[in-house]
Amino acid sequence: MMSRISRLLPIAGLLLATAATPAAYADGLDMSHGEAVKLFWKNEEIYDRNAQTVTLTGGARAVRGDVTVDADTLIGYLRKKTAPDGQPTPPPPANGQSGEADPMGGSLELYRIEARGNVHIYNQTDQGWGDHALYDMDQAVMVMTGKHLKLTTPQDVLTARDVMEYHSKTRMSVGRGDATVTTNDGKQVKADVLVSFSAPDSPAPAGQPQPASTDGNPLGGGSSKLDRAYGWGHVVLRTQTQTATGDRGVYVFATQIARLIGHVHVTQGQNQNNGSQAIVNMKTGIATMLPGSDSPIQGLVVPNEANSSQAPK
């Protein structure tokens, strides 16, 4: 934990009391549920009245619920709160019993967090890393950039070269640039752009207590198990015995079945089948080539592997 906890100065205190946002699905890296954001830092707190920002330096941390963001520097973007009717919230009473007036003349809310340098976002099960992150609390979207972008869950590891995005409301994660999902049993789904969707939480059996709501906080106890992934550009499916490639494809994690379209190549050992479409069962190793209008099915079967039960069909 940081050695210096945030002081409840007028600005810091108002930062902590952020407004609640609309409920979102329980998946992705998200801090949009309506709890207070707790801030910690080691060095300086710099408030910029003109830019309406507060910068925490020397190693900083933001905590909301059980989601934590660590970085070298955290920047909070502020705005005046608005009442339900869309009008600015009036200044609180001078006696401070129901709040404190801030230097801008009204109540403030935190609507965006920027993290710079050695970014690490995590909860008890999932973790993400990057060099820079920008989190929009209204849209429940986080965009991470930098080297060695990585997200880990108990079931999978997602990496990307250029950008990683997290869209909580749609339970969607996006990796751009050599994006790869690797499962615990060594299977890989890879593409230039990889869009994956997490499965919604399953209700508890009848008569059992239902899990606590984690709306808007996918890292806060909600499901992080991937449901399906869509790939565009240089799609590669790889198991220990088989590699399948295509221009685009979709993979369902529960069934371990994928469909590839466009310049499909399925290779197993020295056997190779080519065509325009294929259905690949990554659990059994059986690939079914499908006819297409752009190219016929072609195959190369090496005699000493022809009797293999897992050869492409």
Side-chain angles (χ1 to χ4, degrees):
M1 204 55 138
M2 299 299 177
S3 60
R4 178 182 176 190
I5 191 167
S6 59
R7 298 158 295 174
L8 295 181
L9 299 173
I11 295 299
L14 291 166
L15 262 175
L16 298 178
T18 56
T21 57
Y25 292 99
D27 286 279
L29 294 171
D30 182 39
M31 297 176 71
S32 66
H33 61 304
E35 298 182 25
V37 177
K38 300 177 183 179
L39 301 174
F40 308 83
W41 69 95
K42 287 184 177 179
N43 288 347
E44 292 183 308
E45 174 199 21
I46 304 169
Y47 173 60
D48 188 327
R49 181 185 181 92
N50 294 325
Q52 298 183 19
T53 62
V54 59
T55 301
L56 311 177
T57 66
R61 171 172 292 175
V63 180
R64 197 176 201 189
D66 63 353
V67 181
T68 301
V69 178
D70 289 340
D72 294 341
T73 301
L74 288 177
I75 302 174
Y77 292 81
L78 311 173
R79 66 187 175 194
K80 291 185 179 181
K81 285 186 179 180
T82 56
D85 60 1
Q87 299 298 317
T89 303
N95 58 19
Q97 292 181 355
S98 61
E100 293 186 64
D102 68 82
M104 295 172 58
S107 296
L108 296 175
E109 65 179 355
L110 178 66
Y111 70 96
R112 182 179 299 154
I113 295 176
E114 183 179 358
R116 297 179 179 178
N118 297 303
V119 178
H120 183 199
I121 178 170
Y122 56 94
N123 72 349
Q124 295 181 354
T125 59
D126 302 346
Q127 301 187 73
W129 292 268
D131 294 329
H132 180 269
L134 188 63
Y135 186 79
D136 187 310
M137 301 179 75
D138 292 336
Q139 301 299 321
V141 174
M142 174 174 279
V143 178
M144 295 180 66
T145 57
K147 298 180 180 179
H148 310 298
L149 296 170
K150 184 177 182 181
L151 168 66
T152 64
T153 75
Q155 297 83 23
D156 317 282
V157 177
L158 173 62
T159 61
R161 184 190 64 228
D162 301 328
V163 179
M164 294 183 74
E165 305 171 13
Y166 309 95
H167 300 252
S168 175
K169 294 181 181 181
T170 54
R171 308 188 309 274
M172 180 176 71
S173 301
V174 182
R176 302 181 186 275
D178 200 22
T180 304
V181 171
T182 304
T183 63
N184 286 344
D185 57 0
K187 297 181 177 68
Q188 280 192 342
V189 181
K190 189 174 182 179
D192 292 344
V193 177
L194 195 61
V195 178
S196 59
F197 291 87
S198 298
D201 289 330
S202 300
Q208 299 294 322
Q210 296 297 318
S213 173
T214 55
D215 284 348
N217 184 14
L219 274 184
S223 169
S224 58
K225 186 175 182 180
L226 292 179
D227 176 51
R228 61 195 186 279
Y230 297 89
W232 289 269
H234 301 95
V235 178
V236 180
L237 307 176
R238 183 175 287 116
T239 68
Q240 294 181 351
T241 60
Q242 187 180 74
T243 301
T245 64
D247 294 336
R248 60 189 187 276
V250 57
Y251 176 66
V252 179
F253 287 84
T255 62
Q256 300 184 42
I257 293 176
R259 179 162 186 166
L260 293 173
I261 300 176
H263 302 95
V264 175
H265 304 279
V266 179
T267 304
Q268 185 165 313
Q270 299 184 63
N271 297 328
Q272 180 173 308
N273 277 13
N274 305 322
S276 59
Q277 299 184 62
I279 294 178
V280 182
N281 189 321
M282 297 180 69
K283 183 176 183 179
T284 64
I286 296 176
T288 303
M289 305 301 297
L290 303 176
S293 58
D294 56 343
S295 62
I297 298 174
Q298 300 177 343
L300 172 66
V301 179
V302 178
N304 61 1
E305 297 189 18
N307 294 325
S308 171
S309 62
Q310 294 185 337
K313 305 296 182 183

